[in-house]
Amino acid sequence: MADRYSKELMKHFASPKNIGKIEDSTLAATGFNESDGDGVTFYMNVEDRVVKDIKYTIKGCPRAIAASSYTSEVVKGKTVDEILGMDTEKIFSDLGIDDSFKCISMPLESIQEALRDHEKGI
Amino acid sequence: MNVYLDHAATTPLLEEVIDYFSVVLRDYPGNASSLHYEGLRARELYEESKEKIASLIGAKYDEIVFTSGGTESDNIAIFGSLKAIEKTNPDKRHVMTTPIEHEAVLESFKELEKRGYTVDYIPVDENGIVDLNWIEDHISNKTALCSVMLANNEVGVVEPVEEIAWFCRHNGVVFHTDAVQAMGKIEVDVQKLGVDLLAGSAHKFYGPKGVGFLYVREGLPIDPIVYGGGHEGGLRSGTENVTGAAAMAKALEMVVSTIEERSAQYQEWQKKILDICEEIGDYKLNGHREKRAPGSLSLSFKGVNGEALMAMLSQDGIAVSTASACQSHAHKKGASHVLKAMNCGKAYINGTIRVVMGHENTEEEIDYFCSKLKERVDFLRRIQNG
């Protein structure tokens, strides 16, 4: 486990996956780090309670970019229930980071929040 | 290609210094305080090194104290001089510094606050230059010490230390300057500057880590803060670091001899970098445009995360530093205190990198850096906008 950068994290940071926007997405999720003005916006196509496609735009530190890339890959093709059941702890361990950076948990938390609101019809 | 552009963090040892360091390490094993032949040989080299450092900064032999580096030098200067003042002028409990100092000074002043001193922080303008009028308005017969750095470690601005030192001298205030970032980049002459105390660190001017020096003006009352065998005139006890001192003197001698030509070279490269920044757009050069140590640039790019830019450049083999560590960490360090004091603005502070050139850099390396800088800033802006 690493403090700030791990091999796994840097792999995602070096070539982040799913960057961009989906013009006619059915759901958007945003996460902000107000203290430094960073943030991520996910664009998702949710059909039959499955995230069929996901892309994102981001301004953030290496961990935020890597975590957004990793999270987008993990949630793609998953059902809403599967995503809501995911734990941010797993993201930390899969990315090899042993500390509680908000920028690493933020992507999944923002997607989960948007899906919960979507389910409630908000 | 690897391009090291972080010479404010540390500098690589010059080849000649490595060779000299190795020779001294091998051939001078004695303790410089021993009275036998090995000790006397080591003592002779140690004294020669001190003489060399003194002459390179316009000081006398007895005015130089060798230390373990910049932080220790700053601490001896601040706590040692105040300790001496307390004995003769216990009412002098007011001290001043700037909000843009290195932590070695800032943390020392925080400690002084805990010890009951009244601490004032001299404001700086948006160019990072201290307000001389403010000092004039706030100095009093209660002021014991003022500490203002010579060149700033983050933005590279050079402070009007000569003027401040003159003003302090005429008001009976001890004046200290942290010259760690200035040594080897600009001319440093303690007589011209008129300072009482000046700190330097070898690894910032192509010497080894773990050795530095403190200039203490002749006759200035100062007490030790560490006690032991009474080395360095009783001010800094501890076995003399002969190898470090000799290598430090060698490094400073070599670096000082090329200040002018390096400075001209760095100006050219700075122009190249600023030209590419103009092309990139939405950027800011932090700190005064002219009053700065040559080769030091603090660049802020709007809409870019500085740590991400630093890490991407690192993947390209380019070493720069960022002024803003991620603030979402539990042990967050936060945004740069220097840029905040300069009212740089959050949108820019977050996107800041520091580029500091050095002796081993080449034109080809600077061109490579320029092309990668544009590529990476463009990329980071693109992924923000989609």
Side-chain angles (χ1 to χ4, degrees):
Chain A
M1 289 290 185
D3 177 16
R4 282 177 177 267
Y5 302 131
S6 68
K7 250 188 202 163
E8 194 52 36
L9 185 132
M10 291 314 276
K11 214 161 70 187
H12 276 276
F13 173 65
S15 48
K17 305 291 188 299
N18 302 314
I19 292 247
K21 282 179 183 170
I22 299 174
E23 289 306 330
D24 50 358
S25 65
T26 58
L27 184 65
T30 51
F32 283 109
N33 186 349
E34 283 182 22
S35 55
D36 50 23
D38 286 352
V40 58
T41 303
F42 288 97
Y43 303 87
M44 291 173 275
N45 272 339
V46 185
E47 287 171 39
D48 303 326
R49 302 191 73 239
V50 172
V51 175
K52 299 271 190 188
D53 197 9
I54 181 167
K55 287 193 182 296
Y56 60 92
T57 55
I58 184 167
K59 172 180 174 272
C61 66
R63 286 165 298 282
I65 293 172
S68 297
S69 166
Y70 174 79
T71 306
S72 71
E73 286 202 306
V74 167
V75 303
K76 199 170 179 176
K78 294 269 193 325
T79 66
V80 171
D81 291 332
E82 282 173 323
I83 296 167
L84 291 177
M86 285 178 184
D87 191 346
T88 53
E89 282 304 308
K90 188 167 169 8
I91 310 253
F92 281 106
S93 72
D94 287 353
L95 288 177
I97 297 290
D98 62 1
D99 215 329
S100 53
F101 285 96
K102 192 185 162 207
C103 44
I104 287 180
S105 54
M106 181 175 68
L108 179 61
E109 284 170 353
S110 62
I111 289 169
Q112 287 175 329
E113 196 185 328
L115 287 173
R116 269 193 293 269
D117 288 348
H118 185 61
E119 293 279 285
K120 285 184 213 157
I122 296 172
Chain B
M1 180 188 282
N2 281 349
V3 182
Y4 185 78
L5 290 168
D6 197 14
H7 294 84
T10 194
T11 51
L13 270 82
L14 296 173
E15 281 299 325
E16 294 86 341
V17 175
I18 295 173
D19 293 344
Y20 188 57
F21 189 86
S22 307
V23 168
V24 177
L25 197 60
R26 190 186 58 225
D27 295 348
Y28 291 81
N31 183 325
S33 293
S34 297
L35 296 176
H36 50 62
Y37 69 96
E38 282 291 11
L40 295 175
R41 283 184 71 237
R43 166 63 54 189
E44 195 180 338
L45 182 62
Y46 193 70
E47 288 178 355
E48 275 173 27
S49 307
K50 194 174 276 193
E51 190 63 62
K52 199 177 277 177
I53 297 270
S55 70
L56 288 166
I57 65 164
K60 296 175 193 155
Y61 172 88
D62 287 333
E63 293 177 321
I64 301 297
V65 174
F66 285 149
T67 66
S68 65
T71 297
E72 190 189 359
S73 296
D74 285 332
N75 272 261
I76 295 175
I78 293 163
F79 292 105
S81 62
L82 288 175
K83 204 170 161 190
I85 293 169
E86 266 177 23
K87 286 187 201 162
T88 51
N89 289 295
D91 292 341
K92 284 194 160 211
R93 304 282 290 177
H94 174 231
V95 290
M96 289 186 197
T97 190
T98 78
I100 63 167
E101 297 295 311
H102 185 273
E103 282 82 358
V105 170
L106 279 183
E107 291 300 318
S108 295
F109 274 70
K110 277 188 197 164
E111 176 59 24
L112 290 177
E113 261 184 289
K114 286 184 202 158
R115 295 184 188 184
Y117 280 86
T118 305
V119 177
D120 270 330
Y121 293 91
I122 310 159
V124 297
D125 64 16
E126 71 280 5
N127 288 319
I129 306 293
V130 297
D131 185 343
L132 290 170
N133 293 329
W134 192 96
I135 299 175
E136 202 171 339
D137 291 343
H138 289 78
I139 213 160
S140 75
N141 57 6
K142 301 275 185 236
T143 311
L145 173 79
C146 178
S147 180
V148 177
M149 68 203 323
L150 186 48
N152 181 267
N153 51 310
E154 277 190 33
V155 294
V157 294
V158 175
E159 299 295 345
V161 160
E162 203 175 325
E163 288 94 322
I164 305 166
W166 183 90
F167 195 72
C168 285
R169 194 164 60 248
H170 287 83
N171 283 277
V173 175
V174 172
F175 181 73
H176 164 60
T177 190
D178 176 344
V180 166
Q181 290 293 342
M183 299 299 308
K185 294 193 182 92
I186 57 171
E187 187 200 10
V188 175
D189 184 312
V190 291
Q191 300 307 323
K192 280 189 195 164
L193 291 172
V195 297
D196 294 311
L197 298 149
L198 180 143
S201 180
H203 79 103
K204 306 288 191 183
F205 52 81
Y206 308 87
K209 292 166 183 67
V211 62
F213 69 88
L214 174 66
Y215 159 78
V216 183
R217 185 179 52 75
E218 192 174 33
L220 183 85
I222 186 163
D223 282 358
I225 56 170
V226 171
Y227 295 87
H231 308 78
E232 299 297 299
L235 191 55
R236 199 270 182 181
S237 288
T239 301
E240 293 91 343
N241 178 0
V242 177
T243 323
M248 171 165 65
K250 175 84 172 169
L252 190 60
E253 186 180 34
M254 294 189 67
V255 169
V256 164
S257 69
T258 61
I259 280 183
E260 274 182 37
E261 64 182 271
R262 297 283 170 195
S263 180
Q265 179 69 85
Y266 294 160
Q267 300 287 0
E268 275 178 38
W269 291 346
Q270 266 176 218
K271 194 184 169 307
K272 269 194 170 191
I273 294 172
L274 292 178
D275 282 350
I276 202 77
C277 288
E278 288 292 337
E279 215 177 290
I280 293 167
D282 268 341
Y283 88 102
K284 210 167 144 179
L285 169 66
N286 299 304
H288 200 283
R289 287 225 161 216
E290 281 85 42
K291 295 173 188 172
R292 58 170 55 250
S296 303
L297 296 171
S298 167
L299 301 164
S300 298
F301 298 93
K302 203 172 181 180
V304 168
N305 178 291
E307 191 188 343
L309 179 56
M310 180 272 294
M312 288 204 153
L313 290 170
S314 176
Q315 289 180 338
D316 296 327
I318 296 167
V320 297
S321 76
T322 179
S324 186
C326 180
Q327 295 182 62
S328 76
H329 186 244
H331 313 293
K332 64 183 183 183
K333 193 186 167 203
S336 154
H337 66 279
V338 175
L339 296 175
K340 275 199 259 184
M342 291 165 61
N343 281 323
C344 178
K346 204 194 277 182
Y348 280 104
I349 291 181
N350 187 233
T352 304
I353 56 164
R354 179 184 67 181
V355 180
V356 183
M357 301 154 202
H359 280 219
E360 78 286 5
N361 291 138
T362 63
E363 182 103 21
E364 192 191 359
E365 289 181 356
I366 300 299
D367 289 341
Y368 175 69
F369 167 69
C370 287
S371 73
K372 287 295 171 188
L373 179 67
K374 178 158 173 27
E375 186 184 316
R376 293 309 198 171
V377 172
D378 286 350
F379 174 76
L380 288 169
R381 282 182 175 158
R382 206 163 53 239
I383 67 170
Q384 185 188 2
N385 298 319

